[in-house]
């Protein structure tokens, strides 16, 4: 039994061929179809997204320590580099980033989300009776080559971030 959707697909695919009898017309239709396939593939590739967790406990020392989220679960577009902890925009547009940090037992963690070499938003995991977490998120306008990463923002102390997939960093493309 044919469904309405099947009939519509059939008409969309074959009606132009029925109405078009010349070879150049058929070739134009085939070229348009190939271009549609390229456009669909490009639109899928143009929407980067990543999610990565931290597996080992990570000691932040000094103001320049960048968190390297090593357990990459999603890396669509391959724009996040787990060896550096940096997301590099390959597509310009609006992005959303989020970071959740779990401070190791009875510790404090001062951190920030950077856009290029500038702080964009600050985070702080408070010293609780046990482990304590905090989450920061931001919407950013990025151009090709802009870098986004999470780094330590305390100069005088070493601070331990709890790993074991309790700490994460993610980002995704929203719109051009």
């Amino acid at each position: 039994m044919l469904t309405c959707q099947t009939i519509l697909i059939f008409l969309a695919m074959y009606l132009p061929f029925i109405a078009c009898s010349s070879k150049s017309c058929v070739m134009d239709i085939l070229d348009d179809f190939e271009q549609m396939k390229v456009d669909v593939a490009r639109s899928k590739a143009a929407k980067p997204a990543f999610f990565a967790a931290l597996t080992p406990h990570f000691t932040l020392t000094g103001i320049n320590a960048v968190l390297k989220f090593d357990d990459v679960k999603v890396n669509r577009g391959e724009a996040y580099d787990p060896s550096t902890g940096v997301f590099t925009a390959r597509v310009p547009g609006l992005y959303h980033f989020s970071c959740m940090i779990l401070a190791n037992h009875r510790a404090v963690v001062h951190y920030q989300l950077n856009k290029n070499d500038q702080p964009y938003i600050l985070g702080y995991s408070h010293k609780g009776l046990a482990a304590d977490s905090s989450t920061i998120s931001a919407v950013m306008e990025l151009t090709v080559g802009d870098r986004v990463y999470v780094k330590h923002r305390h100069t005088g102390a070493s601070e331990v971030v709890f790993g074991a997939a309790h700490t994460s960093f993610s980002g995704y493309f929203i719109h051009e």
Side-chain angles (χ1 to χ4, degrees), residues 151-163:
K151 70 175 255 187
H152 194 216
R153 67 176 176 92
H154 195 284
T155 58
S158 294
E159 297 173 335
V160 179
V161 177
F162 199 80

Side-chain angles (χ1 to χ4, degrees), residues 50-59 66-75 78 80-87 99-101 150 161-170:
F50 76 96
F51 176 83
L54 185 67
T55 52
H57 297 338
F58 194 90
T59 302
V66 174
L67 271 163
K68 296 173 182 104
F69 299 84
D70 60 313
D71 187 13
V72 180
K73 305 285 189 186
V74 173
N75 199 4
E78 304 298 317
Y80 175 73
D81 182 353
S83 69
T84 62
V86 177
F87 171 86
C99 175
M100 196 282 295
I101 300 287
V150 179
V161 177
F162 199 80
H166 286 88
T167 295
S168 62
F169 179 36
S170 64

Side-chain angles (χ1 to χ4, degrees), residues 4-74:
C4 289
Q5 185 178 12
T6 305
I7 294 169
L8 286 174
I9 291 171
F10 177 80
L11 288 174
M13 289 177 63
Y14 294 105
L15 189 58
F17 292 108
I18 295 167
C20 178
S21 60
S22 73
K23 183 176 181 179
S24 66
C25 183
V26 171
M27 294 306 290
D28 289 343
I29 291 168
L30 290 173
D31 287 344
D32 289 345
F33 181 69
E34 287 300 316
Q35 185 59 47
M36 286 185 340
K37 289 190 329 189
V38 168
D39 291 344
V40 167
R42 186 177 296 138
S43 73
K44 285 182 180 179
K47 295 181 180 161
F50 76 96
F51 176 83
L54 185 67
T55 52
H57 297 338
F58 194 90
T59 302
L60 295 167
T61 56
I63 195 84
N64 293 318
V66 174
L67 271 163
K68 296 173 182 104
F69 299 84
D70 60 313
D71 187 13
V72 180
K73 305 285 189 186
V74 173

Side-chain angles (χ1 to χ4, degrees), residues 112-134:
Q112 65 193 41
L113 185 63
N114 266 35
K115 176 180 174 184
N116 297 318
D117 293 324
Q118 298 299 314
Y120 198 81
I121 187 170
L122 305 178
Y124 175 77
S125 288
H126 184 266
K127 183 189 287 187
L129 293 177
D132 194 20
S133 68
S134 69

